[in-house]
Amino acid sequence: MNTQKLTQKSIEVIQKAQSIAIDNQNQQIEQVHILVALLTVDDSLIKQILKRMKVNDNFENSVMDEVRKLPKVMGSRKMDSVYVAQDVDEMLNDAEKIAEKMKDEYVSVEHLMLALFNKGNQKVKELFKLFNIFFTSLIEYILLFFTDIGILYILNNLYIGSLYSLDIISFILLILIFLLIRLHILSIT
């Protein structure tokens, strides 16, 4: 994976996953470390999306329980050095491919989360299933989240300043177009 293609937030997630592995005396970064980091990083987009999906608050605790079950390394090892598990490496490469398919220049946290669905190991898949987190639902809520953000951005930055020069019919049509897009996204699933 090309680390130059990671967003700042994705870098924070990977660094946090490394810290979680070190704090729990794990030898390598596992997919559950990445998942915990996605949920606990500051201003977590994934946590916001899962909240909108009405995922039980115990999900984060259950993922952390899986981290606690991982084997611990005792004895000497270089401080702050951990390996990356092969399935994490595959997941990160998949995240890069997902970003490319979505025509995104950088790998963001939502790409990491989607890659966990594609390349998730047995533990991760069981957690998703246990908490009724499905790939299609996640995509739907990611699209809804960014549609809502897009509507707010356009309204705040493009039209509010020039609202006086914009005729009211054009403004109403713009709002209707965004509502239709949102309804279409909801009807896809």
Side-chain angles (χ1 to χ4, degrees), residues 2 4 10-11 19 21 42-43 45 56 63 74 81 86 92 103 108-109 146 154 166 179 188:
N2 181 356
Q4 298 296 318
S10 293
I11 291 169
S19 294
D42 291 338
D43 301 321
L45 171 67
N56 189 312
V63 178
M74 302 298 179
S81 71
Q86 183 176 348
L92 292 172
K103 308 257 189 269
S108 61
V109 293
F146 285 111
I154 289 171
L166 184 68
L179 289 174
I188 289 174

Side-chain angles (χ1 to χ4, degrees), residues 34-50:
I34 299 286
L35 188 52
V36 169
L38 282 166
L39 297 170
T40 59
V41 73
D42 291 338
D43 301 321
S44 171
L45 171 67
I46 299 304
K47 191 169 189 170
Q48 290 175 44
I49 289 170
L50 293 177

Side-chain angles (χ1 to χ4, degrees), residues 82-96:
V82 290
Y83 299 101
V84 175
Q86 183 176 348
D87 61 359
V88 171
D89 190 45
E90 291 169 6
M91 186 264 321
L92 292 172
N93 287 327
D94 191 55
E96 188 173 5

Side-chain angles (χ1 to χ4, degrees), residues 32 59 62-63 66 123-131:
V32 289
F59 179 64
S62 295
V63 178
E66 289 299 323
K123 286 178 195 171
V124 170
K125 287 181 180 182
E126 286 172 4
L127 285 165
F128 288 151
K129 186 175 181 180
L130 181 66
F131 286 89

Side-chain angles (χ1 to χ4, degrees), residues 35 49-60 62-63 113 117 123-141:
L35 188 52
I49 289 170
L50 293 177
K51 194 173 196 172
R52 283 185 176 199
M53 291 173 65
K54 299 191 182 351
V55 171
N56 189 312
D57 291 335
N58 291 327
F59 179 64
E60 186 179 323
S62 295
V63 178
M113 186 68 171
F117 272 94
K123 286 178 195 171
V124 170
K125 287 181 180 182
E126 286 172 4
L127 285 165
F128 288 151
K129 186 175 181 180
L130 181 66
F131 286 89
N132 296 316
I133 303 170
F134 302 106
F135 186 76
T136 53
S137 298
L138 182 66
I139 289 177
E140 172 192 340
Y141 278 89

